[in-house]
Amino acid sequence: MCDTTNTTAGKAAESAPRPVLGQAVDPINLAPVDEIRITTLVDNVFDALLTDDARTSRTGFGAVDTPAGQFEDGHTSVGLVAEHGFSALITVRRGERETTLLFDAGLSPTAMVSNADRLDIDLTNIQGVVLSHGHFDHAGGLAGLAGRLGPSRMPMVLHPQVWTRRRLVVPHGGAQELPTLSKRALTSEGFEVIERRQPSLLVDGSVMITGEVDRTTEFEHGMPPPHQAWTGTQWRHDPLVIDDQALVVHLRGHGLVVLTGCGHAGAINILRQAKRLTGVDDIHALIGGLHLGGPAFEPVIAPTVAALTDLAPDLIAPGHCTGWRAQHALAAAFPDAWAPSSSGTTHRLISA
């Protein structure tokens, strides 16, 4: 969920960070993998003219044909769906064994499933679902996924606060309550809901879900005051979106690959958390939404770019709610690492 209300960085600073620095006392042993493939199923943008490179492949027009009577041959080629949401498929390989997880599901019930079909991806082959947080633009496609999976039990890892009622108080427009996830509905649709606040290890210890992210930077303060949560008795400012989690994989010989949904915890807080929990110093790739769009977050762009310069990722592929100003800044600062995001993009990362 991206905030577009007219607010200030000063108001956003009302959420104080919790300083947790240094390595974990008992680092998590995240098993290195030999290959990672991340396919963006849904993003805010679809660009059919993007070109491939050594590690990134794109989908253009021609993924599927559809009837169109205005053309001589009665049909036309179409690309993929773009919408204000995010969904990615991540496949990890260790030796000869591959495992595929779905990370978020996009905004609408149909976009993620439709794009998977156009990419010839069989969603019944996924082994589990990870939900980055409870905002509806990351969970709307679960309805379409449930219809595709049928009665099969599919494990879904999420934070217990994803069920939180939230709203946006829009200036001169009142309060707009956001769609709230239903645990009862997900369970009845066949998902095996697994709630975790702490870090989780999946796929034989080769995929880590961060759990709640410690807020350690001086500049990533979360959502501004118009973003509110229901406490059970009243609406209160919800700056932290505490259910925000990221997915982390250790690519052998290169370092950590970090996948975010919106990055509400802050990109640098998330990367610090991944390093601290695993004891792995190198960041190889940062992919996904970084939530740097809009007036409340644009002051965070410069310190984020500066901190990323110190971390020196080999690949930065920001999408979804990153915002055009942040995209321009990141592209300028990291000309060799930055890659534009688009529905249908696949990043293939191979161990050294």
Side-chain angles (χ1 to χ4, degrees), residues 23-33 94 199-209 248-252 256 273-280:
Q23 298 294 328
V25 174
D26 186 15
I28 293 171
N29 183 20
L30 183 60
V33 304
R94 292 175 62 188
S200 305
L201 280 177
L202 311 177
V203 193
D204 295 332
S206 59
V207 173
M208 184 184 76
I209 312 304
V248 183
V249 185
H250 182 190
L251 183 62
R252 191 187 313 277
L256 300 178
Q273 179 91 344
K275 291 177 58 175
R276 190 178 71 84
L277 290 175
T278 63
V280 177

Side-chain angles (χ1 to χ4, degrees), residues 114-349:
S114 175
N115 283 350
D117 289 343
R118 294 180 184 187
L119 293 168
D120 199 25
I121 293 171
D122 185 356
L123 292 172
T124 64
N125 289 331
I126 64 174
Q127 279 80 51
V129 178
V130 177
L131 202 60
S132 66
H133 64 298
H135 280 153
F136 65 98
D137 49 338
H138 296 256
L142 293 174
L145 178 63
R148 182 60 53 88
L149 296 176
S152 61
R153 302 293 293 177
M154 177 63 64
M156 178 188 294
V157 179
L158 47 74
H159 188 283
Q161 293 301 311
V162 300
W163 323 116
T164 301
R165 286 177 61 194
R166 292 182 167 114
R167 71 177 187 179
L168 290 177
V169 180
V170 183
H172 313 297
Q176 177 185 0
E177 188 161 351
L178 308 180
T180 303
L181 270 176
S182 166
K183 183 177 182 179
R184 175 192 54 77
L186 289 178
T187 302
S188 67
E189 288 174 343
F191 294 105
E192 180 186 349
V193 174
I194 303 168
E195 300 183 13
R196 298 272 177 82
R197 290 181 178 270
Q198 302 301 319
S200 305
L201 280 177
L202 311 177
V203 193
D204 295 332
S206 59
V207 173
M208 184 184 76
I209 312 304
T210 58
E212 293 181 10
V213 176
D214 296 317
R215 313 304 165 99
T216 63
T217 68
E218 297 178 352
F219 53 89
E220 294 170 315
H221 302 294
M223 297 292 280
H227 185 263
Q228 299 179 350
W230 179 250
T231 66
T233 58
Q234 61 181 316
W235 291 99
R236 286 186 178 175
H237 178 205
D238 177 27
L240 297 182
V241 192
I242 200 65
D243 44 314
D244 184 75
Q245 305 184 93
L247 184 150
V248 183
V249 185
H250 182 190
L251 183 62
R252 191 187 313 277
H254 287 290
L256 300 178
V257 174
V258 179
L259 180 61
T260 66
C262 264
H264 285 296
I268 306 307
N269 282 329
I270 291 169
L271 295 179
R272 285 184 178 182
Q273 179 91 344
K275 291 177 58 175
R276 190 178 71 84
L277 290 175
T278 63
V280 177
D281 285 332
D282 294 329
I283 301 294
H284 182 56
L286 173 62
I287 299 171
L290 303 185
H291 212 285
L292 293 171
F297 296 96
E298 287 171 3
V300 184
I301 294 173
T304 297
V305 170
L308 279 173
T309 301
D310 293 335
L311 293 169
D314 298 305
L315 172 64
I316 302 175
H320 182 37
C321 53
T322 300
W324 69 269
R325 292 185 187 275
Q327 292 282 15
H328 280 263
L330 290 164
F334 305 97
D336 296 325
W338 179 81
S341 188
S342 173
S343 293
T345 293
T346 297
H347 305 285
R348 185 184 182 208
L349 310 174

